[in-house]
Amino acid sequence: MARIIALQTHDIRFPTSKTLDGSDAMNPDPDYSASYVRLRTDAADGLEGHGFVFTIGRGNDVQVAALRALEGHLVGRDVAETLDDLGGVWRELVHDSQLRWLGPEKGIMHMAIGAAVNALWDLKAKRAGVPLWRLLSSLSPEEIVDLIDFRYLTDALTREDALALLRSAEPGRAERETRLLAQGYPAYTTTPGWLGYDDDKLAKLCREAIEQGFTHIKLKVGADLDDDLRRLRIARDICGPDIKIAVDANQRWDVAEAIRWTKALARFDIAWVEEPTSPDDVLAHAAIAKAVAPVPVATGEHIANRVVFKQLLQSGGLSVLQLDATRVAGVNENIAILLLAAKFGVPVCPHAGGVGLCEAVQHLAMFDFVAVSGSLDGRVIEFVDHLHEHFVTPVDVRGGRYLAPAAPGAGTEMYPTSIAEYTHA
Amino acid sequence: MARIIALQTHDIRFPTSKTLDGSDAMNPDPDYSASYVRLRTDAADGLEGHGFVFTIGRGNDVQVAALRALEGHLVGRDVAETLDDLGGVWRELVHDSQLRWLGPEKGIMHMAIGAAVNALWDLKAKRAGVPLWRLLSSLSPEEIVDLIDFRYLTDALTREDALALLRSAEPGRAERETRLLAQGYPAYTTTPGWLGYDDDKLAKLCREAIEQGFTHIKLKVGADLDDDLRRLRIARDICGPDIKIAVDANQRWDVAEAIRWTKALARFDIAWVEEPTSPDDVLAHAAIAKAVAPVPVATGEHIANRVVFKQLLQSGGLSVLQLDATRVAGVNENIAILLLAAKFGVPVCPHAGGVGLCEAVQHLAMFDFVAVSGSLDGRVIEFVDHLHEHFVTPVDVRGGRYLAPAAPGAGTEMYPTSIAEYTHA
């Protein structure tokens, strides 16, 4: 009978601020970082579960301290029992009455729980010998809803609603899995659009993105309207009318400014306006969405939990849902968010980039296609070509599409050499 | 020229779970705790600024780690310059682009900033030789609005709106200060109502509260409807029709359940229903408030920031605003929340209890009376008679009223002996 015998943590930081990769209107100089957790067991297979929270530098040590606070909940547990009841484990962690006070269900403590939950899913998928997307896609509708805590969701999505959605998608699972394996999942790229890049670099990277097969790119905006108009003109001139161009303001605006700015950018036929304002402001998103229609409003990478996503859907505040693999409490909460999106008929276009977010989130998008929404319409996973070399099973993006991963696990394991080299002193 | 020379932290925990003080439907066994911060300077006066985050036990170490992450922002600063620009310091801390990722503006990192900001205000008030409420009440409208970051607020409250509110309250300041010093500020007590107490203890404590002069009490509800009805009947029988009785569900319900349960309790003439559901759920609060009217909906102790308060006010989701001294980013953000409440004409009835929350929050309520809302109508500060003996300037509550504190500072300083005795091993 194998047990979890250790929860190891690592404070990993990459000095990305030196090159302004990842620079935007709110984050001028990020140092892409991971608060990393490894769950070790005494099973003979030697398999470990790996997970992490993506951060952008300072405070990564605080995030690691939050991971350590979960040790008492996890170390000593029976491995098989634990992995057989990940819905129960999720509830135990999220509803720890003392830790809950530190959110509740938001910020550092909630993200730490997400990393631990993701590490458990990584271990479960490795033990099953399959990639996470395939493991999730093999669960019955009942097994899937058992993973979800419906507290605070029932005014929009009940257990019965979720079961009905999953059952209606069940007959097409095999066909969609075949299609996914053959064709991959559409991607878009943010590589050209960082705010710290000059016009020549922007133009060059736009051309490269098109050559690589991308049909959708994204530009950071929100610092200066004239700059944004100039950069969008450069991008649109190179892309022509058929390549989609989204813009991302990274929470820079208040309501009136978001509406004015978005309307000014709309002449360049933008695919969506992302994070126009505070991620906590449901009513502001709803007001902006109404005023800038038909430009879609997108958000998600900083949405704290399923309760805020629920309201953004209820209010019409978003029409592109950008879930993030490490912002909420892991795979379980993200499945609840996928089901909410399906209930409201809104496409999920995951946030990625950072450290390992592409590797992790592709599994959720592919599971959504196979077993939840059953659709690729209007759906793309973000792609940024940074730091993949540090992962044992890096993403494989070709011709503007994510190829379905075949390796067992959740994609979240870094090389020991990378962990060692970039551990923060 | 004096400088801040040290940021010291302490992980302080009281073993309150042994007596079930503080037990409610979501928090069955809290260990009331403080993540405590002391700012020391090399000024000849020897004065220190003290602040803390209230937590309920596990994870207090993570909260302390977040306080430590602020050391680089504060240690080495010129004391006088820093205290002359607390609006600027607030912006620097809250908008640190890397730390911001860990919220943004919510949870552990945001509360740590609040404790540090409150410690700076404690130091400023001590240096001025006045209690914080009086210091704040002596600032000009322009000085007050300079403390506030209006980002994400302007669709409901602009700088000009805030100035107008403050100017209209200015002529009555002196008269209200005199009245406050003579009569104190109304309190209500939660001491009788903890869920872990049996019926006899509930009845005894209700009688004692009335004898002590309280005209308003609060009962915890939400675990079992029959129990709640029985306990409310006991309390109402003892209190008679003139004592107000509020109920507090501590986020236990979904929308439909909150409406059903509140309507069942309403026969006992409840003063408000508190925290009916998730503190993140603006739309749910609005739906509940509409359905249970005229019973007022109260919330605040877990509201992450001013942006969520703004929406609760915009949507009609609350009609009693319960700000908390240590949940948001300190005095500055709480002033923004007081101004929002005044703009919407909603009374502020602060959350208190815990460790030192009464000591801290009374200053904000008294400042609101003197210089912001100018009113005591429908306003009461929560009072719980726990742990005051550990504070250098404990609250003085007599005849159901908080007497205005006269000692310099923000009320947030604990005795060194208490810090030493209850520091977590």
Side-chain angles (χ1 to χ4, degrees):
Chain A
M1 196 180 73
R3 296 197 174 275
I4 297 173
I5 56 167
L7 180 154
Q8 294 184 340
T9 56
H10 304 275
D11 178 351
I12 301 167
R13 307 194 197 190
F14 298 94
T16 49
S17 61
K18 290 180 188 163
T19 55
L20 296 184
D21 296 342
S23 54
D24 64 48
M26 291 290 269
N27 310 294
D29 55 353
D31 286 316
Y32 280 5
S33 301
S35 309
Y36 195 88
V37 61
R38 293 166 67 181
L39 297 175
R40 292 179 43 222
T41 82
D42 58 7
D45 58 23
L47 296 171
E48 299 182 351
H50 291 228
F52 56 83
V53 179
F54 169 58
T55 84
I56 61 172
R58 280 185 296 283
N60 202 47
D61 50 330
V62 185
Q63 188 61 61
V64 167
L67 288 168
R68 299 228 58 84
L70 301 174
E71 193 168 21
H73 280 286
L74 295 173
V75 173
R77 293 180 87 111
D78 181 88
V79 175
E81 269 178 26
T82 301
L83 298 180
D84 279 351
D85 182 25
L86 288 178
V89 174
W90 192 92
R91 286 178 187 82
E92 178 186 326
L93 295 173
V94 172
H95 298 304
D96 175 305
S97 66
Q98 296 189 349
L99 294 178
R100 186 178 183 279
W101 191 270
L102 302 171
E105 301 194 34
K106 60 180 69 68
I108 289 171
M109 202 65 239
H110 202 55
M111 295 193 286
I113 291 169
V117 166
N118 287 348
L120 289 167
W121 278 104
D122 181 50
L123 180 59
K124 183 169 169 127
K126 285 171 179 166
R127 284 166 64 102
V130 294
L132 176 63
W133 69 268
R134 200 159 203 169
L135 172 65
L136 294 173
S137 301
S138 71
L139 299 177
S140 70
E142 291 73 15
E143 288 171 318
I144 294 169
V145 297
D146 283 347
L147 298 169
I148 296 172
D149 184 0
F150 287 93
R151 174 171 280 183
Y152 306 141
L153 298 185
T154 59
D155 55 324
L157 179 79
T158 64
R159 183 183 164 92
E160 292 64 40
D161 295 335
L163 275 173
L165 280 165
L166 291 164
R167 283 178 184 142
S168 76
E170 228 177 346
R173 283 189 188 186
E175 185 220 317
R176 286 191 297 271
E177 188 166 325
T178 305
R179 192 172 143 205
L180 179 67
L181 288 165
Q183 301 174 2
Y185 196 108
Y188 76 93
T189 177
T190 310
T191 297
W194 300 107
L195 217 51
Y197 292 172
D198 64 29
D199 291 353
D200 288 344
K201 188 164 182 179
L202 166 67
K204 174 172 164 287
L205 292 172
C206 283
R207 280 187 210 100
E208 287 178 10
I210 297 166
E211 285 162 18
Q212 287 159 9
F214 289 100
T215 57
H216 187 153
I217 67 167
K218 187 167 80 186
L219 265 57
K220 299 291 183 175
V221 298
D224 180 278
L225 182 55
D226 289 336
D227 284 347
D228 290 346
L229 291 167
R230 191 188 70 253
R231 293 170 70 252
L232 264 171
R233 184 175 303 282
I234 291 168
R236 182 52 80 200
D237 283 350
I238 292 168
C239 291
D242 297 332
I243 302 282
K244 289 184 180 173
I245 305 177
V247 300
D248 181 357
N250 291 88
Q251 313 168 29
R252 185 62 182 254
W253 302 316
D254 280 27
V255 173
E257 199 176 20
I259 293 169
R260 187 173 55 80
W261 207 299
T262 303
K263 285 186 168 176
L265 303 183
R267 76 184 75 158
F268 295 104
D269 186 22
I270 56 182
W272 68 63
V273 59
E274 180 171 330
E275 289 205 304
T277 189
S278 164
D280 300 328
D281 205 334
V282 171
L283 301 181
H285 279 83
I288 294 165
K290 196 172 170 192
V292 305
V295 176
V297 170
T299 192
E301 71 184 84
H302 280 88
I303 301 298
N305 56 47
R306 68 205 178 285
V307 178
V308 184
F309 274 117
K310 179 193 72 170
Q311 294 174 81
L312 285 163
L313 290 163
Q314 288 173 314
S315 67
L318 66 71
S319 43
V320 175
L321 191 152
Q322 302 178 302
L323 63 74
D324 180 285
T326 82
R327 175 67 60 183
V328 301
V331 169
N332 300 52
E333 187 162 5
N334 268 323
I335 293 175
I337 294 164
L338 291 173
L339 284 160
L340 282 164
K343 173 85 188 287
F344 285 88
V346 163
V348 172
C349 297
H351 172 245
V355 178
L357 296 180
C358 301
E359 278 71 16
V361 89
Q362 62 178 337
H363 291 274
L364 298 168
M366 291 176 189
F367 161 66
D368 176 67
F369 173 54
V370 174
V372 185
S373 75
S375 172
L376 292 179
D377 290 352
R379 287 155 172 91
V380 273
I381 306 173
E382 186 167 18
F383 177 67
V384 189
D385 199 4
H386 293 159
L387 306 172
H388 302 291
E389 65 275 20
H390 301 292
F391 285 82
V392 175
T393 55
V395 291
D396 190 354
V397 174
R398 295 187 211 173
R401 298 178 85 88
Y402 278 78
L403 303 195
T412 43
E413 182 170 347
M414 290 180 73
Y415 285 112
T417 48
S418 293
I419 294 174
E421 185 173 353
Y422 292 98
T423 288
H424 187 63
Chain B
M1 195 181 71
R3 296 197 174 274
I4 297 173
I5 56 167
L7 180 155
Q8 293 183 341
T9 57
H10 304 274
D11 178 351
I12 301 167
R13 308 195 197 189
F14 298 94
T16 49
S17 62
K18 290 179 188 164
T19 55
L20 296 184
D21 296 344
S23 54
D24 64 47
M26 293 290 269
N27 310 295
D29 55 353
D31 286 316
Y32 280 5
S33 301
S35 310
Y36 195 89
V37 60
R38 293 166 68 179
L39 297 174
R40 292 178 45 220
T41 82
D42 58 6
D45 59 23
L47 296 171
E48 299 182 351
H50 291 228
F52 55 85
V53 179
F54 170 58
T55 84
I56 62 172
R58 280 184 295 283
N60 203 47
D61 50 330
V62 185
Q63 188 61 62
V64 167
L67 288 168
R68 298 228 59 82
L70 301 173
E71 192 168 22
H73 279 286
L74 296 173
V75 173
R77 293 181 87 111
D78 181 89
V79 176
E81 269 178 25
T82 301
L83 297 180
D84 279 350
D85 182 25
L86 288 178
V89 174
W90 192 92
R91 286 178 186 82
E92 176 185 326
L93 294 173
V94 172
H95 297 304
D96 175 304
S97 67
Q98 296 189 349
L99 294 178
R100 187 178 183 280
W101 191 270
L102 302 171
E105 301 195 35
K106 60 179 68 69
I108 289 172
M109 202 66 237
H110 202 56
M111 295 193 287
I113 291 170
V117 166
N118 287 349
L120 288 166
W121 279 104
D122 181 49
L123 180 59
K124 183 171 169 124
K126 286 172 179 166
R127 286 166 62 102
V130 294
L132 176 63
W133 69 268
R134 200 159 205 169
L135 173 64
L136 295 174
S137 302
S138 72
L139 299 177
S140 70
E142 290 73 16
E143 287 171 319
I144 293 170
V145 297
D146 283 346
L147 297 169
I148 296 172
D149 183 0
F150 287 92
R151 175 172 279 184
Y152 305 143
L153 298 185
T154 58
D155 55 324
L157 181 79
T158 64
R159 184 184 163 91
E160 291 65 39
D161 296 335
L163 275 173
L165 280 165
L166 291 164
R167 284 178 184 142
S168 76
E170 228 177 348
R173 284 190 188 185
E175 184 218 319
R176 287 191 295 271
E177 188 167 323
T178 304
R179 192 172 143 205
L180 178 67
L181 288 165
Q183 301 174 3
Y185 197 107
Y188 76 94
T189 176
T190 310
T191 298
W194 301 106
L195 217 50
Y197 292 172
D198 64 27
D199 291 354
D200 288 345
K201 187 163 183 179
L202 165 67
K204 175 173 163 284
L205 292 171
C206 284
R207 282 187 208 98
E208 287 179 9
I210 297 166
E211 286 163 18
Q212 288 161 7
F214 290 100
T215 58
H216 186 153
I217 67 166
K218 188 167 79 187
L219 265 57
K220 300 292 183 174
V221 298
D224 180 278
L225 181 55
D226 289 336
D227 284 348
D228 290 347
L229 291 167
R230 191 188 70 253
R231 294 169 70 251
L232 263 171
R233 185 176 302 281
I234 292 168
R236 182 53 78 201
D237 283 351
I238 292 168
C239 290
D242 297 333
I243 303 282
K244 289 185 180 173
I245 305 178
V247 299
D248 181 358
N250 290 89
Q251 313 168 28
R252 185 61 182 255
W253 302 316
D254 281 28
V255 173
E257 199 176 20
I259 293 169
R260 187 174 54 82
W261 206 299
T262 303
K263 286 187 168 176
L265 303 183
R267 76 184 75 159
F268 294 104
D269 186 21
I270 56 182
W272 67 63
V273 58
E274 178 171 331
E275 288 205 303
T277 190
S278 163
D280 300 327
D281 205 334
V282 172
L283 301 181
H285 279 83
I288 294 164
K290 196 171 171 193
V292 305
V295 176
V297 171
T299 192
E301 70 184 82
H302 281 89
I303 301 299
N305 56 46
R306 69 204 177 285
V307 177
V308 184
F309 274 117
K310 179 192 72 171
Q311 295 173 80
L312 285 163
L313 291 163
Q314 288 173 314
S315 68
L318 66 72
S319 43
V320 176
L321 191 152
Q322 301 179 302
L323 63 74
D324 179 286
T326 81
R327 175 66 61 183
V328 301
V331 168
N332 300 53
E333 186 161 6
N334 268 324
I335 294 175
I337 294 164
L338 291 173
L339 284 160
L340 283 164
K343 173 84 187 288
F344 284 88
V346 163
V348 173
C349 297
H351 172 246
V355 178
L357 297 179
C358 301
E359 278 71 17
V361 89
Q362 61 177 338
H363 291 274
L364 298 168
M366 293 176 187
F367 161 65
D368 177 67
F369 173 54
V370 175
V372 185
S373 75
S375 172
L376 292 179
D377 290 352
R379 287 155 172 92
V380 273
I381 306 173
E382 186 166 19
F383 176 66
V384 189
D385 199 4
H386 292 160
L387 306 172
H388 302 291
E389 66 274 20
H390 301 292
F391 285 82
V392 176
T393 56
V395 290
D396 191 353
V397 174
R398 295 187 211 174
R401 299 178 85 89
Y402 278 77
L403 303 196
T412 43
E413 182 170 348
M414 290 180 73
Y415 284 112
T417 48
S418 292
I419 294 173
E421 186 174 352
Y422 292 98
T423 288
H424 186 63

